[in-house]
Amino acid sequence: MTSLAVPATLEAASKSSVGIPPIFGPRIIIGLVGVLLAVLVSGLNDMVTKLALADIRGALAIGYDEGTWLVASYTATSVAAMAFAPWCSVTFSLRRFTLCAISLFTVLGVLSPFAPNYESLLLMRTLQGLAGGALPPMLMTVALRFLPANLKLYGLAGYALTATFGPGLGTPLAGLWTEYLSWRWTFWQIIAPSLLAMVAVAYGLPQDPLRLERLKQFNWRGLLLGFPAICMLVIGILQGNRLDWFESSLIGWLLGGGLLLLVLFLVNEWSQPVPFFKLQMLGIRNLSFALLTLAGVLVVLLAVIIIPSSYLAQVQGYRPIQTAPVMLLMAVPQLIALPLVAALCNLRWVDCRWVLGIGLSLLALSCIGGSQLTSAWIRDDFYGLQLLQIFGQPMAVLPLLMLATGSISPQEGPFASAWFNTVKGLAAVIATGVLDALTTVRLHFHSTVLVDNLGNSPLADSNSAGLAHRLHQQAVVLTSSDLYLCMAGIALALILLIFWLPTRIYPPRAPT
């Protein structure tokens, strides 16, 4: 079996700059922590500003529709940047490119609350998404390049934090800033950790030489096709539910044009000598399985955050700060659970496919339990479900990273990073679109059924406003139950794939 490997191009660059490969030590660890901090902050910036959007819109006198474009533009450029950042990090050096991305990300965050008008704020958010999206691929590259073989899984566990730990902090932080400080802190929260990350990266990561000769082989056609394709698809998906999908000519143009450009982009990549995406790698069973399963897992992980938050807000009237304990119970223990799961997968006698199966089973069990919710549930009733998520999430994510990176050759490392991060970003967007569409469809269905069942009851004529409110609450409860059942079905379906798609992968080196 091929062990987790360092991208050869990056390793060669390092050797040429210092003469010998970087020696692992505290300095490298500090650099890795700096990149991890920057990636977590980038994800939190997206989550917190999205959750606090109502306060931001109120302060800046921005309408609801305009607010959705702030979210969509940030996400679109963020996902698109993940596809092309690995090539840039090799060309301009990993350390230099990472520092530039963090710097631009921080400066735009500082300036955003002072935007003179909506258009300038939209431009700043779009550019900030571009800078923030360039960071996640750097984290995977640093973990695979600099960590010793028996510690690589712990580096990947740090990357997994961006899918398990980071999203759970969005609600608590949004509640903290909007309730106790100011809406401006939803933008400014990034300043201190970003500056700390820059210091850690500047100190800890070795400096590679510039490789500007790669610009002569730059895949311009791929960039001109792929970047707008990804942006159009992301915006079309995020705006689709609001504009009633294909009933809107704009959504039809975005999704249709985006798919056409994406097909042309993939055709171009197949024949390019230096592509951004190496399509031939999809023939590797474990990588294809990991990418497919990752998309499904991210749908479930996003749902277990959105469903309880939405239910508590609409049925029980909770503010984000009141929902925070539910999210924190799931997020904070990840700091312990992920290293434990990494240690488990690092044992040679442990098959990571079984770990993945157990993790998906815990997610399915949690969702089945959630499907039993009623209008009487309060915050405390979700704690048991979140406890299952504590180990279910890392056990579902980390084995996928191991399967994806453990079956590739050293030369394919940068391509695997581009594949994994781009699919991760697109999967999160698709998950949002799917959940929005399912919520709308089931909410309309249950509302119609409840009204039909009410019929000509005498209750229909008394306190109609209060009755309408109760009907909406009950429709939300039934919709939340349906969504939980859908997520359980996705998790169970992914378990079935384990039996025939992935092959056994051993850790890089078992601990002695």
Side-chain angles (χ1 to χ4, degrees):
M1 291 293 178
T2 305
S3 63
L4 296 173
V6 178
T9 55
L10 296 176
E11 189 176 28
S14 177
K15 288 181 179 180
S16 65
S17 61
V18 296
I20 57 174
I23 299 175
F24 175 75
R27 192 162 183 168
I28 295 294
I29 295 177
I30 292 174
L32 175 62
V33 171
V35 180
L36 172 60
L37 181 59
V39 174
L40 288 174
V41 169
S42 172
L44 284 175
N45 182 61
D46 184 24
M47 288 288 295
V48 171
T49 50
K50 187 186 303 181
L51 292 169
L53 190 58
D55 295 87
I56 295 172
R57 288 193 295 106
L60 299 177
I62 295 174
Y64 175 79
D65 291 348
E66 290 81 0
T68 62
W69 283 101
L70 291 176
V71 174
S73 61
Y74 181 97
T75 306
T77 52
S78 177
V79 175
M82 295 178 186
F84 305 100
W87 186 94
C88 295
S89 69
V90 176
T91 303
F92 302 109
S93 87
L94 176 62
R95 179 173 177 266
R96 185 179 289 108
F97 180 75
T98 303
L99 287 173
C100 289
I102 300 175
S103 301
L104 179 61
F105 177 77
T106 306
V107 170
L108 291 169
V110 173
L111 297 177
S112 290
F114 302 108
N117 50 51
Y118 169 74
E119 290 74 17
S120 59
L121 178 60
L122 182 64
L123 176 61
M124 284 191 281
R125 288 295 289 174
T126 302
L127 293 176
Q128 192 180 33
L130 188 67
L135 294 172
M138 303 304 100
L139 177 59
M140 179 176 284
T141 300
V142 170
L144 294 179
R145 174 181 173 184
F146 296 119
L147 293 182
N150 63 329
L151 295 180
K152 289 194 190 306
L153 282 179
Y154 294 96
L156 293 175
Y159 179 85
L161 282 175
T162 63
T164 59
F165 173 71
L169 291 183
T171 300
L173 286 176
L176 174 64
W177 305 136
T178 56
E179 294 285 345
Y180 298 110
L181 290 175
S182 165
W183 64 272
R184 293 181 177 86
W185 282 97
T186 59
F187 295 101
W188 292 345
Q189 64 176 341
I190 70 171
I191 298 174
S194 293
L195 293 176
L196 182 60
M198 290 179 64
V199 173
V201 169
Y203 172 77
L205 295 187
Q207 178 60 66
D208 299 331
L210 289 171
R211 302 185 62 194
L212 299 180
E213 70 279 1
R214 287 168 52 87
L215 292 173
K216 297 178 182 179
Q217 297 179 308
F218 185 62
N219 182 9
W220 290 103
R221 187 182 296 110
L223 177 64
L224 295 176
L225 290 172
F227 193 89
I230 295 173
C231 290
M232 291 171 68
L233 289 173
V234 170
I235 293 174
I237 293 171
L238 292 181
Q239 295 284 13
N241 194 62
R242 181 178 70 87
L243 299 177
D244 200 17
W245 295 102
F246 290 103
E247 294 299 320
S248 166
S249 58
L250 175 62
I251 298 301
W253 180 81
L254 286 172
L255 294 181
L259 285 173
L260 176 61
L261 288 177
L262 182 63
V263 170
L264 295 176
F265 169 70
L266 295 178
V267 170
N268 174 77
E269 295 302 283
W270 182 270
S271 59
Q272 279 290 326
V274 186
F276 294 111
F277 288 91
K278 190 174 182 180
L279 296 180
Q280 293 81 355
M281 291 181 64
L282 295 180
I284 303 174
R285 289 178 60 182
N286 282 356
L287 178 62
S288 298
F289 167 79
L291 295 176
L292 176 62
T293 307
L294 176 69
V297 168
L298 287 177
V299 174
V300 178
L301 296 190
L302 185 63
V304 297
I305 293 176
I306 290 178
I307 296 174
S309 299
S310 177
Y311 166 86
L312 291 172
Q314 296 187 64
V315 177
Q316 303 298 348
Y318 280 31
R319 294 276 294 168
I321 195 66
Q322 295 172 303
T323 310
V326 180
M327 300 296 106
L328 289 174
L329 180 63
M330 179 176 59
V332 174
Q334 298 298 315
L335 298 174
I336 299 175
L338 269 166
L340 292 178
V341 174
L344 178 65
C345 291
N346 217 19
L347 298 173
R348 189 171 181 82
W349 55 271
V350 173
D351 190 337
C352 70
R353 296 175 298 179
W354 286 99
V355 177
L356 174 61
I358 295 172
L360 291 172
S361 299
L362 291 174
L363 294 181
L365 185 60
S366 173
C367 292
I368 292 173
S371 68
Q372 306 304 310
L373 89 168
T374 68
S375 59
W377 277 36
I378 59 174
R379 182 175 62 195
D380 296 352
D381 294 297
F382 287 94
Y383 287 156
L385 305 180
Q386 305 302 75
L387 289 174
L388 293 173
Q389 298 282 337
I390 291 175
F391 280 98
Q393 292 192 12
M395 293 178 76
V397 174
L398 190 57
L400 293 176
L401 290 168
M402 184 175 175
L403 287 167
T405 57
S407 303
I408 58 175
S409 65
Q411 294 80 7
E412 294 170 328
F415 299 115
S417 179
W419 269 117
F420 203 87
N421 284 280
T422 305
V423 169
K424 175 176 175 288
L426 283 174
V429 172
I430 294 172
T432 301
V434 168
L435 288 173
D436 285 345
L438 283 176
T439 299
T440 300
V441 170
R442 298 307 295 173
L443 194 60
H444 288 170
F445 170 79
H446 289 301
S447 296
T448 302
V449 172
L450 289 171
V451 171
D452 288 344
N453 289 339
L454 185 62
N456 296 321
S457 169
L459 292 174
D461 298 323
S462 60
N463 190 15
S464 59
L467 180 60
H469 179 65
R470 293 196 299 274
L471 285 174
H472 176 72
Q473 286 185 328
Q474 189 59 34
V476 170
V477 171
L478 295 172
T479 299
S480 299
S481 177
D482 291 347
L483 291 178
Y484 268 125
L485 283 177
C486 287
M487 297 307 108
I490 292 175
L492 292 174
L494 295 176
I495 293 175
L496 297 178
L497 291 179
I498 300 176
F499 292 99
W500 61 280
L501 267 183
T503 57
R504 174 77 185 270
I505 286 291
Y506 291 92
R509 184 176 69 231
T512 58

